[in-house]
């Protein structure tokens, strides 16, 4: 997944055996949290000290006023610590504008304890970065990282410009979950649960020994877990049998039962924010494998700040036959909502999935394969800067290609031709497929279209392709029949966003001094986002205007010359 920097992020940088063991673990976790914050170098607003003697007693955080909410009280369920922000999951799926909230950070002043009659807290208030709906039961809010003194974060309802009303504090500071070791999502698939988890440290690109893993089902406090064995595992994905009670009544578990994992060699169960039924309804097992009602061809991608590229990618591939899109939004802060709505008005079937989990593209694609399996016979996994070009360029050519394959084929692999800046200095106004016309001579890697119902139970993938069920094979598309134009090395204004963070789990970030010679990097670039003087001339070995010529001849308006993605929905 490549990223566009047009909309610049306004982020501030950078069951144990004994009670003693449990206390030691919590203290150590809290120490690590404070240590992490102590390394940050951000500038924040000045803070004040409040004395809760002016407030009422406070056994739990106060929910937001129910008069402000359409359904129920809103309160923070979980806090997850990321390198550049804190993610809060909220107890209501209704999305409020960020302007309705404050992020509130607090810490006990030295020498003060919550049991004191007048405990004193240092308090810092900052604007919310963004809000969004997460699933059927929860919304999310993103808060900046606080300074080193502040050990907990909450939300406060903002009732006006001069918002100074008192608020309650928890009895104990609440240390956020670290995303380094966390079960973060779960999806039901027949009589199994597929759990997505960080920190297992399973070997990349390989199926793992499922006999070493267990899944645990229960309320979030973890006092009454039901445990089942894993039946498949790879990378960040663990598939386990569902407890019989959940199989019998899956609707009763939705939004209530959390799922986590453990390793048989370790006693601790991972922290979890994964709840059953958050994303999708229970699959109708009778109809799950019936293809007659499914769409023939869908597409799945993961994006960050790619709103400007979305219309061109969707409109073009709809002409080739793609019927539905799953857009996994990985923390975008551009106008992606507006673009999706505009495309929906035009009749395109788009499902935007909020996926706040960083460095998790492989897991996201595994998750997408489960979602798409209910609706699609074939799903293409490729990025919004990648465009299929076929020898026979005609409407629905791509959907015809997949529809005519043998039933033994479960994956089509198409090679990528990597295009460079093509001597451009600014982003082409009429789109990448017309603007970039010079590329490297030799194809590199490939992207895949797969049968989601024929993937291996582990859902193992390396972004470019999946592991298939035994007995099914893949087809390498001849370059003379089809290629993917990958507009990989765009003008520097766009390309430099790759230095922010790579989305794939097992690909090193550009700023890290490792794997310098890897094909995952641009040759000749180091670890700093510094534009080479000859950037616009690089990666240019063959001038290839085939797709450009076709689009200008067949897609452009005869009067205005505008391409479909240049025209306003108005």
């Amino acid at each position: 997944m490549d990223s566009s920097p047009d909309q610049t992020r306004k982020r501030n940088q950078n069951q144990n055996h004994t009670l003693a063991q449990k206390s030691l673990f919590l203290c150590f976790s809290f120490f690590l949290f404070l240590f992490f914050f102590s390394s940050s170098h951000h500038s924040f607003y000045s803070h004040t000290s409040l004395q809760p003697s002016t407030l009422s007693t406070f056994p739990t955080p106060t929910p937001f006023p129910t008069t402000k909410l359409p359904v129920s009280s809103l309160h923070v369920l979980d806090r997850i610590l990321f390198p550049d922000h804190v993610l809060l999951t909220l107890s209501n799926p209704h999305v409020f504008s960020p302007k309705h909230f404050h992020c509130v950070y607090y810490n006990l002043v030295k020498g003060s304890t919550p049991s004191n009659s007048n405990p004193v807290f240092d308090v810092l208030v900052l604007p919310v970065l963004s809000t969004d709906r997460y699933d059927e039961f929860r919304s999310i809010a993103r808060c900046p990282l606080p300074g080193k003194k502040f050990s907990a974060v909450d939300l406060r309802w903002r009732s006006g410009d001069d918002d100074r009303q008192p608020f309650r504090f928890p009895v104990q500071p609440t240390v956020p979950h670290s995303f380094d070791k966390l079960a973060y999502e779960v999806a039901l698939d027949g009589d199994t649960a597929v759990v997505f988890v960080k920190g297992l440290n399973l070997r990349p690109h390989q199926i793992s020994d499922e006999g070493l893993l267990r899944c645990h089902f229960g309320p979030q406090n973890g006092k009454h877990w039901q445990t089942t064995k894993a039946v498949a595992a790879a990378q960040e994905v663990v598939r386990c049998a569902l407890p019989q009670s959940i199989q019998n009544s899956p609707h009763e578990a939705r939004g209530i039962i959390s799922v986590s994992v453990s390793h048989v060699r370790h006693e601790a169960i991972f922290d979890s924010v994964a709840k059953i039924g958050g994303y999708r309804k229970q699959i109708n097992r009778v109809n799950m494998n019936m293809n007659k009602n499914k769409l023939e061809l869908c597409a799945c991608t993961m994006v960050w700040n790619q709103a400007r590229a979305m219309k061109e990618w969707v409109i073009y591939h709809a002409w080739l036959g793609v019927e539905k899109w799953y857009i996994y939004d990985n923390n975008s802060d551009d106008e992606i909502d507006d673009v999706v709505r505009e495309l929906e008005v035009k009749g395109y079937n788009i499902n935007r999935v909020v996926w706040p989990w960083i460095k998790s593209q492989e897991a996201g694609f595994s998750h997408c394969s489960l979602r798409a399996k209910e609706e699609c016979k074939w799903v293409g996994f490729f990025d919004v800067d990648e465009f299929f070009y076929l020898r026979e360029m005609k409407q629905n050519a791509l959907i015809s290609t997949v529809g005519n394959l043998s039933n033994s084929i479960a994956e089509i692999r198409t090679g990528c031709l990597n295009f460079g800046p093509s001597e451009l200095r600014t982003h082409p106004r009429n789109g990448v497929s017309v603007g970039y016309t010079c590329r490297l001579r030799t194809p590199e890697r490939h992207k895949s279209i797969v049968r989601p119902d024929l993937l291996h139970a582990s859902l193992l993938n390396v972004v470019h392709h999946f592991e298939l069920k035994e007995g099914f094979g893949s087809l390498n598309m001849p370059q003379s029949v089809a290629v993917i134009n990958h507009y990989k090395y765009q003008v520097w204004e766009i390309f430099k966003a790759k230095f922010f963070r790579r989305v794939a789990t097992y690909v090193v970030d550009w700023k890290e001094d490792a794997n310098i010679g890897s094909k995952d990097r641009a040759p000749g670039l180091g670890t700093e986002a510094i534009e080479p003087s000859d950037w616009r001339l690089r990666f240019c070995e063959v001038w290839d205007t085939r797709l450009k010529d076709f689009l200008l001849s067949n897609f452009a308006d005869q009067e205005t010359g505008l391409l479909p993605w240049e025209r306003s929905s108005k």
Side-chain angles (χ1 to χ4, degrees), residues 210-279:
E210 70 275 9
L212 299 176
L213 299 166
R214 300 289 184 268
C215 289
H216 308 273
F217 302 78
Q220 195 167 23
N221 59 25
K223 292 181 179 178
H224 304 287
W225 294 110
Q226 294 186 64
T227 300
T228 65
K229 295 180 180 180
V231 297
Q235 300 183 154
E236 292 184 7
V237 180
V238 179
R239 183 190 292 267
C240 289
L242 273 177
Q244 192 62 51
S245 58
I246 298 178
Q247 291 189 47
N248 294 340
S249 303
H251 60 282
E252 295 182 2
R254 298 178 70 245
I256 298 174
I257 298 299
S258 296
V259 186
S260 191
V261 299
S262 67
H263 196 285
V264 296
R265 295 173 183 168
H266 309 282
E267 294 183 2
I269 299 174
F270 279 40
D271 287 350
S272 176
V273 297
K275 290 184 180 295
I276 285 180
Y279 265 110

Side-chain angles (χ1 to χ4, degrees), residues 190-206:
D191 57 1
T192 65
V194 182
V195 190
F196 301 83
V197 56
K198 281 281 185 183
L200 283 174
N201 296 322
L202 303 181
R203 298 182 67 179
H205 316 324
Q206 295 185 24

Side-chain angles (χ1 to χ4, degrees), residues 87 89-90 92-93 95 132-140 184-186 273-275 278-279 352-357 367:
L87 178 72
T89 65
L90 311 177
N92 191 293
V95 179
D132 213 332
R133 179 176 179 176
Y134 178 58
D135 58 25
E136 297 176 57
F137 307 103
R138 295 171 289 181
S139 56
I140 58 174
Y184 56 90
E185 185 50 62
V186 60
V273 297
K275 290 184 180 295
Y279 265 110
R352 174 177 169 260
V353 180
V354 176
W355 188 259
W357 317 113
H367 188 274

Side-chain angles (χ1 to χ4, degrees), residues 184 196 300 302 328 355 360-369 381:
Y184 56 90
F196 301 83
C300 180
M302 188 174 289
Y328 274 58
W355 188 259
S360 63
Q361 187 177 25
E362 297 90 339
F365 281 1
S366 296
H367 188 274
C368 187
S369 71
F381 290 87

Side-chain angles (χ1 to χ4, degrees), residues 65 87 123 155 176 220 262 283 337 362 377 514:
L87 178 72
V123 177
L155 286 184
Q220 195 167 23
S262 67
I283 296 171
D337 275 338
E362 297 90 339
K377 295 180 185 178

Side-chain angles (χ1 to χ4, degrees), residues 461-481:
N461 70 84
V462 290
V463 177
H464 306 103
H465 61 269
F466 282 79
E467 188 77 13
L468 306 177
K469 285 184 178 179
E470 186 176 354
F472 295 91
S474 61
L475 171 67
N476 292 317
M477 190 68 67
Q479 188 176 341
S480 60
V481 175

Side-chain angles (χ1 to χ4, degrees), residues 77-98:
L77 297 173
D78 296 293
R79 301 156 177 85
I80 301 100
L81 179 63
F82 291 106
D84 55 359
H85 69 282
V86 182
L87 178 72
L88 309 181
T89 65
L90 311 177
S91 61
N92 191 293
H94 187 84
V95 179
F96 292 89
S97 169

